[in-house]
Amino acid sequence: MTGASRPRDEGGRHPGDLTARVPSPVPPTGATAASARAHARAAVEEAWGAAGERPLKEDLIDLSLVVSEMVTNAIRHGGGLTGFEVSVERDGVRLAVSDRSDAVPDGAYGIGGFPRTHGGNGYGWPLINRLAEEVTVRHRPRGGKTISARVPLRPALAQDWTGLARARSGAAGGSSPSEDASAGHA
């Protein structure tokens, strides 16, 4: 059976397929790292929730960090954000961030070391390269570039999310372990 003959839902997906392409959260000129993070996380939660699963919260944190760095780099160093796409897959999330610059960022294709001093290059690319895979830079025909990366996601155990939901709702009687651990470090 070919992919074209299988039924699709209103989002264009095949039943049981988590892959979903999601457009920019807001017009690119007004997008922020915070809106992009919220959009990416919502896309993952919607796609995985529809399949009755949730990713590990650690993987969602990694996703948030990668989205933040990619979008911030486009805004600060790429002449502005011109596009943002999220494609949710069963075992990861593909991100595509477009900007106006043709320049390939230093460190785009390597693990690189974290800087000892802040001389213009920060922690962004080393962080992206450690948390993401399949990082590519593609020049666009009319100028600018699109940087794509895939952030892996692993399924969480059901009991992990039950405890988290209770902690968030206050039913667990107090703060969560992560809140307890970070309370003295504000």
Side-chain angles (χ1 to χ4, degrees):
M1 177 181 276
T2 66
S5 63
R6 294 188 339 190
R8 294 178 181 262
D9 67 10
E10 59 277 354
R13 295 176 293 196
H14 299 291
D17 183 8
L18 278 181
T19 303
R21 190 173 203 178
V22 183
S24 177
V26 292
T29 55
T32 64
S35 65
R37 281 191 310 269
H39 181 70
R41 188 173 181 128
V44 168
E45 288 175 352
E46 179 182 336
W48 279 57
E53 295 181 350
R54 293 193 186 265
L56 282 172
K57 61 185 174 181
E58 293 89 350
D59 292 350
L60 289 174
I61 292 169
D62 290 353
L63 173 64
S64 291
L65 289 168
V66 172
V67 168
S68 289
E69 291 299 332
M70 290 177 69
V71 170
T72 299
N73 285 345
I75 293 168
R76 286 188 182 166
H77 308 293
L81 185 67
T82 60
F84 177 73
E85 290 185 9
V86 177
S87 298
V88 181
E89 302 171 342
R90 174 157 297 288
D91 62 349
V93 178
R94 290 191 186 277
L95 305 168
V97 176
S98 300
D99 64 36
R100 291 181 176 86
S101 174
D102 291 326
V104 174
D106 290 340
Y109 292 116
I111 295 297
F114 287 111
R116 293 174 196 231
T117 62
H118 196 322
N121 291 331
Y123 296 98
W125 276 107
L127 187 72
I128 291 167
N129 286 319
R130 280 181 165 80
L131 300 177
E133 50 192 34
E134 301 173 25
V135 177
T136 62
V137 179
R138 182 177 40 92
H139 287 94
R140 296 170 17 159
R142 294 188 178 148
K145 66 183 170 300
T146 299
I147 298 177
S148 301
R150 183 179 175 286
V151 179
L153 295 177
R154 298 164 291 172
L157 299 175
Q159 64 266 24
D160 294 341
W161 285 93
T162 304
L164 181 61
R166 271 186 298 191
R168 284 188 178 164
S169 70
S175 58
S176 70
S178 62
E179 290 170 331
D180 290 340
S182 63
H185 302 285

